Amino acid sequence: MYIAKLIRQAKKPVLLFFIFMGLGSTASFAYENNGLTKKALKPFKHLSKESATCASCHRNEHRSIYQQWGRSKHFGANVGCYECHKADASDPDAIRHKGFQIAVIVSPKDCAQCHSTEVEQFSKSHHAKAAEILGSLDNVLAEVVEGAMVFHGQSPVAVNGCWQCHGSKVKVLPNGDLDPTTWPNTGIGRINPDGSKGACTACHQRHEFSMKQARRPESCGKCHLGPDHPQKEIYEESKHGINFYANVDRMNLESAKWVAGEDYDAAPTCATCHMSATIELPITHDVGDRISWTLRPAISQKIDAKAIKMGKEVKPWLSRRNDMKTVCSSCHSSKMIENFYEQFDSLVNLYNNKFAKPGASIMAALKEEKMITKVPFDEAIEWTWFFLWHHEGRRARHGAAMQAPDYVQWHGMYEVAHRFYIEMVPEIKEIIEKAEKKGNHKGAERVRKLLDEILNRDEHKWFLGKMDKKTAAKRKAARTNFNKRYIQE
């Protein structure tokens, strides 16, 4: 009866089609994937009377939402508004709406009613912890340096910027409204009123929840772009990105199973490498499950290094890498994959050993000897160091990870080197001189010796004019030959 009423009210032909398709879709489907079986959830036989009531109103009040739902797999499975938004009166964010108890926020806990495996995997991921940034330097910038706590006790920079990607704790006001400093928010690590972490809608945009949209690189590009982590731009420069955009019509993005090398072979997307199924691997919603390095901090570490130090057992970095190699093997030979990882590791190790570890040791010594203050970002060298690792160093490392040569070189290591030699070294020398004048001879001497030791290492000696004769002769010969080929440099 309720379905008949809904059909009578539906004015758009596309929705009539989906209604009949939903009524006829009662069997689950499955595919075999090298011993791995993926089963779709069985749809409800009928749209609930509660959801039918919701739809009868929202089709006029919010036509775009109604149409998006009408194109979704939820519609075809008779999953409606109420199945996702229903709430108990005891829920912190529960409100009474048109005779129903509902919550505006649909949290992972709600999604887990049907998608328990995906929510469990996500909850273990780094994405779920993304809101835990309050002690980070990024947060200091947004709340103190760039901003001020002038928007109901919060910084507009953090509310409109950081939290929209990282997420924040969503607060419910005494009258039941959602605090405007924390809502709207689809940050990937959002802390919901029910205590769950995450926002499925960060990737699966409501209310269509399109797999096609979630599989495209633009979905990840909402957060993974910009000067400090330009993965989307890096992807677009890579051969993978070039091939994706050239052959997007062959990507089969709406495939139910979407197995690399089986359903498509033109190019991988972010989802392919970090989440999606291969002939040998199942889908995962733990985006770090196949990552072997963490490239986020000043000094790169293997992904399991921190857990090992804390005595925790996690999936080893080598196992994660082997899984990623399995993804690569959908298109590439084993030798090509092995050589790629050797190239990638060499860049990360170079960055770590030549710039990151020396820079970090000097910054630590400056603080220990009280040659710089404890206040973050109040001195030039703190900005210099932050740019070096947080922006330029990340770009170089991520560029190598995703095969974008321009980000490795000109947006990456070139700028790292310039920042280190032309800005950081002179600033360190100036700080040493100031310390001497203030009578901090012990501190000045310690930092001077440390800087001298670093600059006299083989990889830095060129800066002091101490390049060994054999290498200098080789460089001179190469330059002479170059000049012969060109009128001028």
Side-chain angles (χ1 to χ4, degrees):
M1 178 175 65
Y2 294 100
I3 302 300
K5 180 179 179 181
L6 184 58
I7 291 173
R8 287 196 301 272
Q9 292 174 333
K11 295 181 179 180
K12 302 289 186 180
V14 65
L15 287 183
L16 286 172
F17 170 76
F18 276 112
I19 288 171
F20 286 117
M21 288 298 289
L23 287 171
S25 178
T26 57
S28 66
F29 69 87
Y31 69 86
E32 292 294 332
N33 186 24
N34 229 27
L36 301 169
T37 303
K38 173 69 178 177
K39 289 188 177 181
L41 296 166
K42 287 186 177 181
F44 294 113
K45 291 184 178 180
H46 305 289
L47 189 69
S48 67
K49 62 181 181 180
E50 294 88 352
S51 287
T53 302
C54 296
S56 67
C57 182
H58 283 287
R59 75 181 185 89
N60 294 318
E61 295 294 324
H62 303 101
R63 294 187 180 186
S64 292
I65 292 175
Y66 181 67
Q67 293 286 12
Q68 290 163 7
W69 173 61
R71 290 189 295 268
S72 72
K73 288 187 178 293
H74 279 169
F75 190 106
N78 289 316
V79 175
C81 313
Y82 189 71
E83 282 67 47
C84 298
H85 287 277
K86 65 182 176 182
D88 294 327
S90 59
D91 291 344
D93 57 338
I95 59 172
R96 196 76 181 167
H97 178 70
K98 304 293 184 182
F100 298 114
Q101 202 76 37
I102 67 159
V104 172
I105 297 173
V106 178
S107 74
K109 185 177 179 180
D110 298 316
C111 298
Q113 295 175 94
C114 297
H115 304 285
S116 58
T117 300
E118 289 80 0
V119 171
E120 182 182 358
Q121 291 170 344
F122 173 86
S123 298
K124 295 176 181 177
S125 74
H126 192 65
H127 271 167
K129 303 177 181 67
E132 299 172 12
I133 59 169
L134 290 180
S136 70
L137 288 173
D138 306 61
N139 188 254
V140 172
L141 284 167
E143 293 192 345
V144 180
V145 181
E146 305 162 23
M149 311 302 265
V150 296
F151 177 45
H152 301 299
Q154 302 294 344
S155 168
V157 180
V159 171
N160 291 277
C162 307
W163 296 357
Q164 298 303 323
C165 280
H166 284 267
S168 65
K169 185 175 182 179
V170 180
K171 298 177 182 178
V172 182
L173 299 174
N175 67 354
D177 289 343
L178 297 176
D179 187 333
T181 66
T182 64
W183 184 262
N185 187 308
T186 57
I188 194 73
R190 187 182 70 201
I191 302 172
N192 301 292
D194 63 10
S196 64
K197 294 181 180 180
C200 301
T201 52
C203 302
H204 301 280
Q205 188 166 314
R206 59 180 184 259
H207 285 82
E208 191 168 345
F209 308 102
S210 164
M211 291 188 298
K212 176 181 178 180
Q213 177 257 327
R215 288 166 175 167
R216 289 185 63 103
E218 292 89 346
S219 289
C220 305
K222 172 181 178 283
C223 300
H224 293 278
L225 81 171
D228 59 331
H229 42 41
Q231 286 95 336
K232 181 176 180 288
E233 297 98 315
I234 286 170
Y235 174 80
E236 289 170 349
E237 184 193 342
S238 74
K239 295 298 292 184
H240 289 156
I242 292 167
N243 225 33
F244 170 78
Y245 290 109
N247 299 285
V248 66
D249 57 323
R250 295 197 286 110
M251 285 297 296
N252 202 14
L253 290 166
E254 297 193 61
S255 166
K257 55 190 180 73
W258 207 57
V259 174
E262 193 170 281
D263 296 301
Y264 64 103
D265 54 33
T269 69
C270 314
T272 301
C273 298
H274 295 284
M275 301 178 70
S276 301
T278 71
I279 295 172
E280 298 177 20
L281 293 175
I283 294 169
T284 179
H285 277 67
D286 181 349
V287 293
D289 196 54
R290 303 168 187 171
I291 294 176
S292 49
W293 282 102
T294 174
L295 305 177
R296 182 197 61 79
I299 301 171
S300 296
Q301 294 181 314
K302 291 298 194 298
I303 196 76
D304 57 353
K306 185 176 180 180
I308 291 172
K309 287 179 182 178
M310 297 171 67
K312 295 181 179 179
E313 288 190 18
V314 296
K315 184 176 177 180
W317 74 268
L318 191 55
S319 296
R320 296 169 191 254
R321 175 167 290 191
N322 287 336
D323 282 349
M324 186 66 89
K325 287 180 178 179
T326 297
V327 180
C328 302
S329 68
S330 300
C331 298
H332 301 293
S333 69
S334 59
K335 190 59 181 176
M336 184 174 184
I337 297 166
E338 292 297 331
N339 284 2
F340 158 73
Y341 270 107
E342 286 196 38
Q343 292 179 348
F344 170 40
D345 289 349
S346 72
L347 188 284
V348 176
N349 288 324
L350 172 73
Y351 160 82
N352 273 351
N353 295 326
K354 185 171 182 178
F355 297 108
K357 290 179 181 179
S361 67
I362 290 173
M363 293 301 294
L366 290 173
K367 288 182 180 179
E368 289 166 8
E369 299 298 336
K370 298 181 180 180
M371 294 167 69
I372 58 176
T373 71
K374 294 181 180 179
V375 178
F377 296 111
D378 69 330
E379 290 162 294
I381 196 165
E382 292 177 292
W383 292 83
T384 300
W385 171 237
F386 191 73
F387 272 115
L388 189 154
W389 72 265
H390 189 271
H391 284 46
E392 292 127 10
R394 280 188 184 173
R395 292 200 293 265
R397 289 173 280 171
H398 285 125
M402 297 170 60
Q403 300 176 311
D406 202 54
Y407 278 88
V408 175
Q409 166 65 5
W410 296 114
H411 294 303
M413 294 306 292
Y414 167 81
E415 296 194 4
V416 168
H418 181 275
R419 193 76 64 180
F420 183 82
Y421 293 117
I422 307 305
E423 294 186 33
M424 192 169 184
V425 169
E427 287 168 6
I428 294 166
K429 290 179 178 179
E430 184 178 344
I431 292 169
I432 291 170
E433 289 180 12
K434 287 182 179 179
E436 288 279 17
K437 290 179 181 178
K438 290 180 179 180
N440 186 358
H441 304 297
K442 179 176 172 287
E445 183 61 18
R446 178 191 170 190
V447 175
R448 182 184 292 110
K449 284 184 176 179
L450 178 58
L451 179 61
D452 287 346
E453 186 275 321
I454 289 169
L455 293 180
N456 276 283
R457 294 175 186 174
D458 287 343
E459 62 268 30
H460 293 293
K461 282 197 298 187
W462 73 270
F463 187 65
L464 303 178
K466 294 182 178 181
M467 185 183 291
D468 65 87
K469 293 181 179 180
K470 185 177 181 180
T471 303
K474 185 177 180 181
R475 298 299 314 164
K476 184 178 180 180
R479 187 180 182 90
T480 301
N481 290 333
F482 177 85
N483 287 337
K484 287 179 179 178
R485 293 193 300 271
Y486 298 93
I487 297 174
Q488 62 182 22
E489 290 186 55

